[in-house]
Amino acid sequence: MSGLQVRPLHPSLGAEVRGIDMRVVPDAATFQALHDVWMQYQVLVFPDQDITDEQHVAFTRCFGDLEVHHQKIIRSRFLPEIFRVSNVNDDNELMPPTHATVKQVALAQFWHTDSSFREKPCTGSLLHGVEISRTGGETHFTNMYAVYDALPESLKRRIHGRRALHDFGHLHKLADLKPLTDEERAAMPPVWQPMVRVHPVTKRASLYISPIYNDEIEGIPQAEARQLIADLTGLAGERRFVYEHRWEPHDIVQWDNRCTMHQVTPHDPTERRVMHRTTIAGVDTVLAA
Ligand code: OGA
Ligand code: MN
């Protein structure tokens, strides 16, 4: 008996989990129960978890090593494992929408899965709503197993065995940010990832794209590749696949980046929004289906 109370949130994915205190590291049985629920629902919402960044990091560590983001403008100055999804800086000052950090964070308004540009992409992310938005800033999640299953056979055949390019630099083109320097590019070189992957735990196949990082597909002319990514993204965004999370203060949402994508809705830029993320580092390269 783990004591977890689990309430499904949408027919496609997502469950609310109560009966756990994230200030303390769970024992082995509780961790196993939690992990099983995570694998089943892909996105877990933990309400009322007013934890410190240190507790957030310690809890995440149960799932594996943590990723440290390669850019100073994103990671916390105080705790490098904290990825700041925020329009407020480390000195607690609101940044304007023209600030490079805010522009980059705003790209999360497009569907993506986290750190797919790494050779070993992250496993999961845990996002803490420290100061949430009331004018927007909802986070939407889509089930990429279900999206893959729903593809017509002809489209499945078209993408099976193919790889898409995941390029961190593509983000900078989209956001009209300064292009990466040679040094930055060398630190995060583009990687080819299979478009259909197998989840290492559930063994299920899912569509694996991350449109903010993709504009090339192996063996397909670029214009056609872009259209294909746009079409797949359109399907992934259909409501039947999507859970829309409306944040309350100190919700923590944990998602599996191996079988979901997410996006955030815009909000009033004069309103503070402070979200702290930890990221479970990947241990393996992506397994092609
Ligand atoms: C993220 C992300 C969306 C949000 O933390 O990886 O994309 O709602 N966040 O802030
Ligand atoms: Mn993200």
Side-chain angles (χ1 to χ4, degrees), residues 263-284:
Q263 66 170 185
V264 60
T265 62
H267 69 102
D268 173 356
T270 64
E271 179 192 42
R272 292 165 59 99
R273 184 171 189 264
V274 180
M275 315 291 279
H276 285 185
R277 192 183 98 192
T278 53
T279 314
I280 309 162
V283 281
D284 292 313

Side-chain angles (χ1 to χ4, degrees), residues 6 21 41 88 97 141 207 250 281:
V6 179
D21 179 353
Y41 292 99
V88 175
F141 296 92
L207 176 65
H250 300 301

Side-chain angles (χ1 to χ4, degrees), residues 48-69:
D48 297 323
Q49 300 286 349
D50 187 358
I51 62 174
T52 65
D53 287 342
E54 286 77 9
Q55 289 163 341
H56 187 176
V57 168
F59 186 87
T60 306
R61 215 177 285 291
C62 303
F63 291 88
D65 286 337
L66 275 73
E67 226 173 60
V68 171
H69 194 70

